[in-house]
């Protein structure tokens, strides 16, 4: 059922426009020209709404209920419903999936093109969640946001126009006086403007008071002053009707028909069949009502709201009426349904208004608060609240504590509460038992209890099926922290890294992070960073992966211990000392043996891809996929069957063996049209000294000329005669050197097999081989003079050409740091020297240049 958004909040008021406010409009236009949004921040009556109605666009007025980001999104959906196809947004909001709904809303609004969104009364909806939604809206390049608020903070990330810019100047005051009280002399208008200090509403009130002969000093900014003005200008019976109706803020036009002749005096706004009271007028009129009468009227409004199905609004009326007991009972009846709709922050806000003595007599409220805190990802507070509910005799708190430790994947901590829950609630406890068994790695028992879904398939060793199921599913995304690990973006990210494509996994991890940030969930953000690390690890972007894992570890601090496990596994995969042992310890403490085996194999294969050995330790019981991986490790000949069963291992995935071993397996399966594949990786490093590694181990040549031969082959291609001359050897000696190099690069090569890394006619390196790395061709390799220690004219020529090309590339860069590197290569380089003047690197550039000049004796 859609959340009810009053139509009056979607329609800008038809305000009086006696004054054309050219000056603030010009300031607003300038602000929006260099900022994605602007804030009109001023007190009530400064003409913010009137000014905003001059800006054509989408209008939305907010109330306190919009502090809940889910409710705020319902308002945005209502405002845009007729402008864009947003059926998916409504569907996601119905499911409580508001962060995912935000992403869908942004996608749906992209085709709209340039337009304004005006958010009136934004201070009433201010909360961390709504700010996350606003930040998301600013990702739309064509949207310009206009926020109307009584406070600058927390909207200061936009350009702010305050009371000084919005106050009336003398020219505007004269225009208003001509429209309202033309009989007043100019000096009286100037006196009135001085009295109200430019306050637009105050000036209007004062001018109307002066027109009726009332002393302007009585109609000041305070509610008392306004009340005196209203009492003077309105018949008593009208004043009484207005006081009762103003209590609700707005009413249907037919209810307030008696007020229409006095609309100007009451500063009423008319919006499509509704009459809306100005906040200051409402405050002044409410003060006239006796507390008992206000209580009766608000109670009646609450009953009418309940009859319309507007439970949240009814609770707010009851709280305003002081009927906190009735509000508490309403929360008991409907609070759980609100949580299921994703209105987590609404429930927490309403609970926050209830006194402790009211809560104490209703133990169900303790359970409701614990559930809301759990859904908000505030796990420490939620655990304390559940324990408090248990102490009060609320046995359903056992179920809540089990769900809490399922959320944080701590099966060992869930066990004692699960036993108690099963005694009392066997039907509800059974699915929780199944999931806890899964979290322990006991997938067969979980399946026997009826559990199903992608997480089960993953832990059963069927990652391809798990990914296919999630891809086909109508993905609700990460909509509440309890589902961080169970469904949506972050599970999709993990499955893409395991059995899909790590680039896609990276995209889903980043989407999961956006959703978790919108929720304000440190748990979700930490997990998203760990999953980003997994994707980057699979892609071989080691440095970025390390940054992601360290970020995940920092975010996990103070949270459940299990949250650190994936980040520690990633750091262990990158060789961080002590990380592996700590990962194993925490996984065992949490009771999750499957994740220990999963991460251990992730570490082993990642280390292998980096050219390091990692002997597999004793492993806990594994699923069929992980068991097959463990048996095939370190992927020598004979593991081709595994590749046929799990073809994703040849792609950019988390458990992919090193590329040379994958390609050799493909060759052995007849899927590579090559006469021979050695199954190794070769790194030729010419920068600095000259060295060669095969499978991460340095090569030692028996003959220095064999090393020189490989260096010459790395410098350029050669005809045989030129190569013999460059080496100064006979054809017979050349054959000996050639076979030494060939056998060093391709150990175990069968006799007669065609070379894989070396080419003849012309002679050179087969640079197109993906298993061959030559640092001279890597633009990211740190510079060092090539071929140092090898004295040969051909190598000197190649080194000079490389240095010159590198210097030229550095000069083309926009970064001053690169210009400094170019100056290091040639300290007398005039262009680099000139560019660095006036930069933070000028002093270092001067030092380099002076040292070179001294060395030349200049």
């Amino acid at each position: 059922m859609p959340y009810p958004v009053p139509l009056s909040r979607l329609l800008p008021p038809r305000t009086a426009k006696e004054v054309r406010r050219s000056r603030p409009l010009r300031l607003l236009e300038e602000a929006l020209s260099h900022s994605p949004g602007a804030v009109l921040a001023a007190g009530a009556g400064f003409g913010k709404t009137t000014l905003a109605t001059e800006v054509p666009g989408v209008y939305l007025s907010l109330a306190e209920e919009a502090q809940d980001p889910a409710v705020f999104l319902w308002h945005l959906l209502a405002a845009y419903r007729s402008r864009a196809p947003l059926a998916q947004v409504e569907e996601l909001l119905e499911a409580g999936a508001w962060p995912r709904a935000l992403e869908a809303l942004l996608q749906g609004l992209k085709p709209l093109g340039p337009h304004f969104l005006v958010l009136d009364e934004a201070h009433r909806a201010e909360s961390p969640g709504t700010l996350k939604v606003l930040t998301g809206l600013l990702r739309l390049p064509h949207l310009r946001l206009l926020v109307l608020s009584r406070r600058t903070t927390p909207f200061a990330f936009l350009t702010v126009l305050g009371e000084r810019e919005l106050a009336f100047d003398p020219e505007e005051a004269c225009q208003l006086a001509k429209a309202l009280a033309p009989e007043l002399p100019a000096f009286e208008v100037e006196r009135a403007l001085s009295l109200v200090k430019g306050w637009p509403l105050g000036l209007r009130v004062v001018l109307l008071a002066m027109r009726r002969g009332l002393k302007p000093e009585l109609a000041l900014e305070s509610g008392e002053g306004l009340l005196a003005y209203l009492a003077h200008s309105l018949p008593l019976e009208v004043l009484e009707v207005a006081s009762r109706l103003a209590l609700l803020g707005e009413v249907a036009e037919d209810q307030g028909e008696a007020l229409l002749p006095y609309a100007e005096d009451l500063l009423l706004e008319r919006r499509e069949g509704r009459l809306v009271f100005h906040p200051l007028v409402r405050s002044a009129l409410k003060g006239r009502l006796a507390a008992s009468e206000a209580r009766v009227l608000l109670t009646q409004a609450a009953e009418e709201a309940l009859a319309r199905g507007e439970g949240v609004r009814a609770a707010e009326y009851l709280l305003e009426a002081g009927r906190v007991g009735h509000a508490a009972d309403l929360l008991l009846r409907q609070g759980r349904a609100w949580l299921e709709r994703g209105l987590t922050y609404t429930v927490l806000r309403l609970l926050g208004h209830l006194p402790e003595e009211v809560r104490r007599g209703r133990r169900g409220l303790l359970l409701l608060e614990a559930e809301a805190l759990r859904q908000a990802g505030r796990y420490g507070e939620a655990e304390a609240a559940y324990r408090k509910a248990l102490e009060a005799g609320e046995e359903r708190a056992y179920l809540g504590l089990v769900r809490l430790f399922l959320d944080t994947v701590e099966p060992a901590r869930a066990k004692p509460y699960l036993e108690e829950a099963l005694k009392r609630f066997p039907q509800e406890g059974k699915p929780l038992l199944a999931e806890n068994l899964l979290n322990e790695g006991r997938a067969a028992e979980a399946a026997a209890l009826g559990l199903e879904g992608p997480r089960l398939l993953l832990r059963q060793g069927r990652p391809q099926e798990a990914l296919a199921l999630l891809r086909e599913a109508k993905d609700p995304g990460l909509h509440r922290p309890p589902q961080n690990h169970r469904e949506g973006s972050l599970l999709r990210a993990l499955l893409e890294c395991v059995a899909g494509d790590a680039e896609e996994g990276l995209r889903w991890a980043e989407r999961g992070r956006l959703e978790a940030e919108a929720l304000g969930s440190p748990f979700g953000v930490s997990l998203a960073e760990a999953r980003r690390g997994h994707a980057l690890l699979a892609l071989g972007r080691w440095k970025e992966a390390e940054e992601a894992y360290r970020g995940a570890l920092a975010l996990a601090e103070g949270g459940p211990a299990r949250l650190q496990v994936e980040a520690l596994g990633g750091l262990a995969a990158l060789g961080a000392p002590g990380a592996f042992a700590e990962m194993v310890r925490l996984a065992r403490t949490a009771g999750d043996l499957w994740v220990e085996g999963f991460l251990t194999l992730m570490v082993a294969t990642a280390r292998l891809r980096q050219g390091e050995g990692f002997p597999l330790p004793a492993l806990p019981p594994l699923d069929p996929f992980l068991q097959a991986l463990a048996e095939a490790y370190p992927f020598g000949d004979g593991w081709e069957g595994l590749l046929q069963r799990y073809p994703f291992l040849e792609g950019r995935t988390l458990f992919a063996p090193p590329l040379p071993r994958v390609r050799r397996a493909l060759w052995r399966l007849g899927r590579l049209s090559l006469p021979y594949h050695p199954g190794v990786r070769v790194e030729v490093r010419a920068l600095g000294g000259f060295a060669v590694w095969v499978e991460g181990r340095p090569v030692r040549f028996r003959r220095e000329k064999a090393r020189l031969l490989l260096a010459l082959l790395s410098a350029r291609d050669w005809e045989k005669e030129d190569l013999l001359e460059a080496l100064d050897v006979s054809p017979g000696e050349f054959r000996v050197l050639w076979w030494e190099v060939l056998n060093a690069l391709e150990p175990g090569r069968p006799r007669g097999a065609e070379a894989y890394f070396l080419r003849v006619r012309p002679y050179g390196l087969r640079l197109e081989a993906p298993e061959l790395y030559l640092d001279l061709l890597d633009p990211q390799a740190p510079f060092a003079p090539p071929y140092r220690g090898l004295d040969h004219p051909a190598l000197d020529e190649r080194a000079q050409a490389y240095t010159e090309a590198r210097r030229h590339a550095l000069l083309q860069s926009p970064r001053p740091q690169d210009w400094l590197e170019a100056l290091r290569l040639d300290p007398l380089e005039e262009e680099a020297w000139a560019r660095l003047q006036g930069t933070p690197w000028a002093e270092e550039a001067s030092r380099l240049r002076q040292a070179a000049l001294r060395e030349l004796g200049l």
Side-chain angles (χ1 to χ4, degrees):
M1 176 176 146
Y3 189 90
V5 178
L7 181 62
S8 59
R9 294 190 189 166
L10 311 177
L11 302 166
R14 295 195 294 270
T15 55
K17 290 189 174 70
E18 299 93 348
V19 178
R20 170 70 180 171
R21 306 215 59 198
S22 302
R23 178 182 53 83
L25 278 171
R26 187 180 67 253
L27 292 174
L28 180 59
E29 186 178 344
E30 290 173 4
L32 291 170
S33 67
H34 61 264
S35 172
V39 184
L40 303 184
F46 265 86
K48 302 185 294 295
T49 303
T50 302
L51 191 64
T53 57
E54 299 286 342
V55 178
V58 179
Y59 176 87
L60 183 56
S61 180
L62 301 175
E64 281 187 6
E65 61 192 318
Q67 289 177 17
D68 190 319
V71 177
F72 184 27
L73 279 165
W74 277 111
H75 281 65
L76 288 169
L77 172 63
Y80 278 105
R81 193 189 298 274
S82 62
R83 300 167 183 258
L86 299 174
Q88 187 189 11
V89 179
E90 182 167 357
E91 187 179 328
L92 290 164
L93 284 174
E94 286 279 13
W98 72 260
R100 184 69 188 87
L102 171 59
E103 295 300 314
L105 178 70
L106 297 182
Q107 287 299 317
L109 297 186
K110 275 183 182 178
L112 284 187
H115 70 283
F116 287 94
L117 171 61
V118 179
L119 297 177
D120 204 349
E121 300 286 337
H123 57 277
R124 300 171 69 188
E126 175 193 323
S127 74
T130 53
L131 285 177
K132 293 291 185 185
V133 175
L134 285 183
T135 306
L137 288 171
L138 291 177
R139 283 157 45 201
L140 288 170
H142 301 304
L143 175 70
R144 289 292 176 270
L145 195 60
L146 182 55
V147 177
L148 315 184
S149 171
R150 294 189 196 175
R151 292 187 292 272
T152 300
T153 55
F155 307 111
F157 57 90
L158 302 171
T159 303
V160 177
L161 300 182
E163 293 184 355
R164 187 178 64 179
E165 290 83 6
L166 296 176
F168 268 13
D169 62 16
E171 183 181 345
E172 292 168 328
C174 288
Q175 290 179 41
L176 184 63
K178 284 179 184 176
L180 296 181
E183 67 277 13
L184 292 177
F187 76 90
E188 290 282 11
V189 175
E190 185 178 343
R191 176 185 169 216
L193 180 65
S194 173
L195 183 67
V196 299
K197 299 177 182 177
W199 181 37
L201 178 66
L203 183 63
R204 173 180 288 275
V205 170
V206 166
L207 290 174
L208 289 172
M210 293 168 72
R211 189 176 71 183
R212 288 182 168 83
L214 186 69
K215 290 184 177 180
E217 289 81 359
L218 292 177
L220 295 177
E221 183 175 348
S222 68
E224 290 79 5
L226 275 175
L227 186 59
Y229 158 70
L230 294 169
H232 180 271
S233 60
L234 295 173
L236 183 60
E237 61 274 15
V238 171
L239 199 60
E240 289 176 353
V241 171
S243 299
R244 287 193 294 273
L245 295 179
L247 187 65
L248 305 180
E250 65 173 81
V251 293
E253 196 168 294
D254 56 354
Q255 285 181 271
E257 191 173 353
L259 305 182
L260 291 178
Y262 306 93
E264 182 185 68
D265 298 295
L266 287 167
L267 307 177
L268 284 175
E269 298 173 1
R270 301 177 70 176
R271 304 187 192 180
E272 296 297 322
R274 306 286 291 179
L275 294 179
V276 181
F277 288 85
H278 190 281
L280 284 180
V281 174
R282 178 177 183 253
S283 176
L285 291 171
K286 277 173 60 181
R288 295 188 72 258
L289 289 175
S292 57
E293 186 178 5
R295 187 183 175 97
V296 169
L297 290 170
L298 287 167
T299 303
Q300 183 182 344
E303 290 169 356
E304 291 171 358
L306 268 178
R308 295 192 302 269
E310 299 176 8
V312 172
R313 213 155 284 139
E316 289 174 341
Y317 283 135
L318 289 171
L319 287 171
E320 189 175 356
R323 294 187 178 274
V324 289
H326 290 73
D329 291 337
L330 180 57
L331 266 168
L332 276 173
R333 292 197 306 273
Q334 298 194 14
R336 184 169 289 277
W338 296 343
L339 287 181
E340 288 172 1
R341 296 182 61 194
L343 305 182
T344 306
Y345 301 97
T346 292
V347 170
L348 288 172
R349 177 172 62 85
L350 294 174
L351 283 169
H353 288 298
L354 299 179
E356 186 60 35
E357 58 271 18
V358 172
R359 296 188 191 204
R360 199 178 299 121
R362 295 168 175 84
R363 66 189 186 191
L365 289 179
L366 297 173
L367 184 61
L368 182 67
E369 182 174 27
E371 287 290 313
L373 289 167
R374 182 175 69 86
Q375 287 200 7
R378 292 157 61 178
Y379 295 123
E381 295 171 76
E383 183 179 352
Y386 280 126
R387 294 189 189 284
K388 193 173 178 182
L390 273 181
E391 290 168 8
E394 181 54 75
E395 293 189 334
R396 295 190 69 81
Y398 283 118
L399 290 168
L401 283 164
V402 174
R403 292 190 182 101
L404 174 65
F405 295 123
L406 288 176
D407 298 344
T408 58
V409 202
E410 296 177 284
R413 295 189 70 190
K415 264 187 173 180
Y417 301 106
L418 186 53
E419 290 171 2
E420 296 298 326
L422 285 167
K423 292 175 189 174
R424 295 163 174 81
F425 312 101
Q427 287 303 112
E428 290 179 73
K430 184 180 173 183
L432 303 182
L433 170 62
E435 186 166 357
N436 206 52
L437 288 170
L438 183 68
N439 286 348
E440 289 182 281
R442 297 157 65 182
E445 295 170 70
L449 287 173
L451 190 66
E452 55 186 26
R455 286 190 70 235
L456 176 71
L457 292 171
L458 173 62
R459 290 191 174 220
Q460 284 178 327
R462 298 154 66 188
Q464 289 166 289
E465 296 172 61
L467 179 57
L469 187 64
L470 204 55
R471 283 175 173 174
E472 292 167 8
K474 211 167 188 179
D475 170 32
L478 170 64
H479 61 278
R480 288 194 288 270
Q483 283 131 348
N484 283 351
H485 59 287
R486 300 186 202 173
E487 62 186 48
S489 304
L490 295 184
L491 181 59
R492 176 74 179 269
L494 181 64
L495 285 167
E496 290 287 357
C497 289
V498 172
D501 186 321
E503 283 285 4
E504 192 71 1
L506 183 60
R507 189 175 74 81
W508 281 92
E510 287 169 346
R511 178 174 130 174
R513 171 158 186 145
L514 285 174
E515 293 167 352
E517 284 176 342
L519 283 163
S521 167
F523 187 107
V525 176
S526 175
L527 193 60
E529 278 301 285
R531 300 282 161 90
R532 276 189 72 244
H534 296 340
L536 293 164
L537 187 72
L539 293 169
R541 292 157 61 176
W542 317 117
K543 187 175 180 182
E544 293 172 79
E546 182 179 2
E547 290 171 359
Y549 287 131
R550 293 202 181 280
L553 205 55
L555 287 162
E557 193 171 337
R562 167 61 178 81
L563 191 54
Q564 303 176 44
V565 171
E566 288 189 43
L568 286 167
L571 291 173
L574 295 166
F580 182 76
E582 184 66 4
M583 179 272 288
V584 170
R585 185 186 72 79
L586 290 178
R588 291 180 181 176
T589 301
D592 194 340
L593 298 181
W594 180 86
V595 84
E596 178 192 337
F598 178 94
L599 291 175
T600 298
L601 285 163
M602 182 189 85
V603 170
T605 51
R607 290 277 193 92
L608 206 58
R609 288 198 299 272
Q610 294 168 77
E612 302 174 26
F614 186 85
L616 281 179
L619 292 168
L622 301 171
D623 64 54
F625 168 60
L626 296 179
Q627 184 63 44
L629 272 178
E631 291 168 0
Y633 185 85
F635 311 104
D637 289 344
W639 70 281
E640 294 80 19
L642 180 68
L643 189 59
Q644 287 179 305
R645 288 201 305 278
Y646 304 107
F648 56 81
L649 291 176
E650 67 183 85
R652 300 177 297 180
T653 52
L654 203 53
F655 295 105
L659 178 65
R661 302 187 192 192
V662 172
R663 283 174 58 81
R664 181 169 173 85
L666 293 173
W667 171 72
R668 287 172 63 87
L669 289 169
R671 290 173 53 192
L672 283 185
S673 55
L674 295 170
Y676 170 70
H677 194 287
V680 296
R681 171 177 167 81
V682 171
E683 295 182 41
V684 179
R685 298 189 177 272
L687 298 178
F690 182 80
V692 184
W693 279 266
V694 175
E695 282 298 279
R697 293 184 293 273
V699 173
R700 302 279 186 262
F701 291 100
R702 288 178 295 166
R703 298 170 182 83
E704 182 60 23
K705 278 202 173 181
R707 182 167 172 262
L708 178 60
L709 168 59
L710 187 53
L712 290 170
L713 294 173
S714 71
R716 63 180 177 87
D717 289 344
W718 298 82
E719 295 300 329
K720 186 172 183 180
E721 294 75 14
D722 296 335
L723 193 53
L724 291 174
E725 183 180 342
L727 286 166
D728 191 22
V729 295
S730 67
E733 289 177 285
F734 175 76
R735 280 196 299 276
V736 171
L737 297 174
W738 177 262
W739 287 111
E740 182 176 347
V741 170
L742 186 56
N743 289 326
L745 299 185
E746 302 178 18
R749 189 181 67 85
R751 183 180 292 275
E754 184 179 332
Y756 184 76
F757 292 111
L758 299 180
R759 187 179 60 242
V760 296
R761 300 188 189 90
Y763 285 80
L765 292 179
R766 199 181 296 276
L767 296 173
E768 66 273 16
E771 302 87 353
L772 176 64
Y773 173 80
L774 176 60
D775 60 357
L776 286 172
L777 303 181
D778 183 357
Q780 302 301 320
F783 177 80
Y787 302 113
R788 187 178 288 166
L790 287 175
D791 185 14
H792 194 284
L795 299 180
D796 293 343
E797 182 183 339
R798 177 70 174 95
Q800 185 177 354
Y802 173 83
T803 303
E804 179 58 27
R806 187 66 174 254
R807 185 186 65 81
H808 181 72
L810 290 168
L811 285 174
Q812 299 304 309
S813 167
R815 301 170 66 244
Q817 303 97 308
D818 291 337
W819 306 340
L820 186 65
E821 287 302 310
L823 198 67
R824 291 186 199 281
L825 299 181
D826 181 0
L828 300 181
E829 164 64 55
E830 293 294 338
E831 185 178 352
W833 163 252
R835 285 190 194 178
L836 286 163
Q837 301 311 301
T839 72
W841 294 271
E843 188 176 340
E844 175 67 9
S846 178
R847 190 187 63 75
L848 288 170
R849 185 177 177 85
Q850 291 302 320
L853 290 172
R854 281 195 302 273
E855 191 174 330
L856 293 172
L858 300 174

